[in-house]
Amino acid sequence: MHTFTLSGCYRISSEVRCLLPTTTKKKKKKNIVFSMMEGRCGRDETQFNTGGFLSKKAFHPPSWATHLNPIPSDVYSLGHLPTPIHKWNLPNLPEDTQVWIKRDDLSGMQLSGNKVRKLEFLLADAVSQGSDCVITVGGIQSNHCRATAVAAKYLNLDSYLILRTSKVLVDKDPGLTGNLLVERLVGAHIELISKEEYANIGSVALAEILKEKLLKEGRKPYVIPVGGSNSLGTWGYIEAIREIEQQILSGCSKSLDAIVVACGSGGTIAGLSLGSSLSTLKAEVHAFCVCDDPDYFYDFSQGLLDGLHADVNSREIVEIHNAKGLGYAMNTSEELKFIAEIASTTGIILDPVYSGKAAFGMLRDIAENPNKWRGKKILFIHTGGLLGLFDKSEEMTWMMGNYHRMKVDESVPHKDGMGKMQ
């Protein structure tokens, strides 16, 4: 019997490696699930019955998006879709204002979120190009990198994750907290880079350096940008609008005035805003950015829209609010307390990096500008990220006082050898 430990990481700039055990390729298993909704990606129930989860299908865009170019040829079924929509009973809403929540945190890829929708198109392209591994980039607790690692392994592709961390920790084992545990369990190759090096070199150049290295080793890498946010990945949330449109027609919420979502790399808001403006929804889209600033994301999303020849102005189809606070993946005690209170009052667990800041920003804007939101039906997109909370456990400990030692009176009869502990 062979034993091993999860030590698979190395410092990208020094190339001092601690390799995970080599995994052997396994034959792909056929997985079949049945669609809960006709028409997703142009595929009806009969097609799902013969294909299903992890199957690759020809993609047919919504009728209102056929003028976009390029249109993907194929898509993988990677997500557990459609994700549900239900009422979210948030406190202190203006009169006649309703908030519904779309649970993209339930989309799959081992506790995932919005990234799965993008990966359905990106990994289909990777497989079509004959790639045997993928490269992507993110923060040390990147949800996107974790989803990529899991999805790649499902498709028998290796994954290489460039993760930025602090200068103090870059030469140390990154540990097994949150997303890192899942990534390392599925055999991802972790490449550590300091935040300073990342800022000076940039994600595109870092991915290209690693790509050249893997090419020299005889590999066939496919590069996925930060957050999966390029024009191809944007189709994931154009397609999500078709899903929402069909859910509303089937009676999930009857109508929709506004869509609210977190923004961290730009692809999700580009797809949602473009899809909403083109489809029958015509809902206004509000994005709460958790890094950089609104101007950056207006410009970046414009580039994605231009890449699809959409002929629209990003500033006319999405309103971007600044919800960065202290900085990316950094939280005030007020934000963390908000996450805890929302969980205890509504049962919805938000993450500290994306959905938590977006919901915090949304409710703050509603409180400051009640007339702007009064009477509206709002759909909040929960983009996932539960595992990121594990990295905040020490900061949140002071909030969690709801426990005590159970007291049992001495008069209660004790019987030895009873129950499962005998």
Side-chain angles (χ1 to χ4, degrees), residues 124-298:
D125 189 44
V127 171
S128 295
Q129 293 188 26
S131 303
D132 62 8
C133 60
V134 297
I135 298 168
T136 197
V137 188
I140 195 68
Q141 282 294 330
S142 169
N143 301 309
H144 161 68
C145 288
R146 180 253 305 141
T148 300
V150 174
K153 188 57 64 175
Y154 280 169
L155 301 179
N156 288 329
L157 301 173
D158 290 331
S159 60
Y160 290 82
L161 312 178
I162 301 174
L163 303 181
R164 63 181 181 272
T165 187
S166 69
K167 185 162 48 177
V168 176
L169 299 175
V170 72
D171 291 304
K172 299 178 180 179
D173 189 304
L176 300 174
T177 300
N179 288 302
L180 281 164
L181 175 59
V182 176
E183 291 161 355
R184 298 177 76 177
L185 278 172
V186 299
H189 300 267
I190 308 297
E191 307 265 356
L192 300 177
I193 190 78
S194 72
K195 294 177 182 178
E196 291 78 8
E197 290 171 299
Y198 182 93
N200 290 331
I201 300 172
S203 63
V204 174
L206 287 169
E208 190 62 29
I209 290 169
L210 184 53
K211 178 183 176 180
E212 291 301 318
K213 178 177 179 292
L214 292 173
L215 285 170
K216 291 177 181 178
E217 294 174 359
R219 305 302 303 270
K220 299 177 181 178
Y222 180 91
V223 175
I224 296 175
V226 173
S229 291
N230 57 15
S231 293
L232 176 59
T234 298
W235 278 100
Y237 270 88
I238 296 173
E239 182 62 21
I241 288 292
R242 167 157 58 181
E243 181 177 299
I244 294 168
E245 193 177 35
Q246 292 174 337
Q247 286 177 301
I248 289 176
L249 289 174
S250 67
C252 284
S253 64
K254 301 300 182 184
S255 64
L256 189 61
D257 299 303
I259 296 173
V260 174
V261 69
C263 172
S265 60
T268 296
I269 67 167
L272 284 173
S273 57
L274 178 60
S276 182
S277 67
L278 294 176
S279 72
T280 61
L281 283 185
K282 299 295 185 289
E284 57 192 47
V285 178
H286 295 266
F288 287 80
C289 62
V290 301
C291 56
D292 297 294
D293 56 50
D295 284 336
Y296 169 83
F297 283 110
Y298 280 124

Side-chain angles (χ1 to χ4, degrees), residues 262-368:
C263 172
S265 60
T268 296
I269 67 167
L272 284 173
S273 57
L274 178 60
S276 182
S277 67
L278 294 176
S279 72
T280 61
L281 283 185
K282 299 295 185 289
E284 57 192 47
V285 178
H286 295 266
F288 287 80
C289 62
V290 301
C291 56
D292 297 294
D293 56 50
D295 284 336
Y296 169 83
F297 283 110
Y298 280 124
D299 293 341
F300 184 85
S301 59
Q302 186 65 57
L304 301 184
L305 298 172
D306 291 345
L308 294 173
H309 296 88
D311 194 27
V312 294
N313 186 331
S314 64
R315 294 175 183 269
E316 296 176 357
I317 60 174
V318 59
E319 182 176 334
I320 304 178
H321 310 252
N322 195 331
K324 180 170 64 174
L326 295 178
Y328 179 77
M330 299 170 65
N331 297 97
T332 64
S333 58
E334 187 181 9
E335 289 170 346
L336 294 177
K337 186 177 180 181
F338 168 80
I339 290 171
E341 289 177 346
I342 291 299
S344 65
T345 57
T346 73
I348 300 297
I349 300 177
L350 303 169
D351 84 294
V353 181
Y354 299 100
S355 60
K357 287 193 174 186
F360 182 79
M362 176 185 73
L363 288 183
R364 182 175 56 190
D365 197 61
I366 288 175
E368 294 174 353

Side-chain angles (χ1 to χ4, degrees), residues 76 92 188 342 389:
Y76 262 109
N92 304 318
I342 291 299
L389 270 175

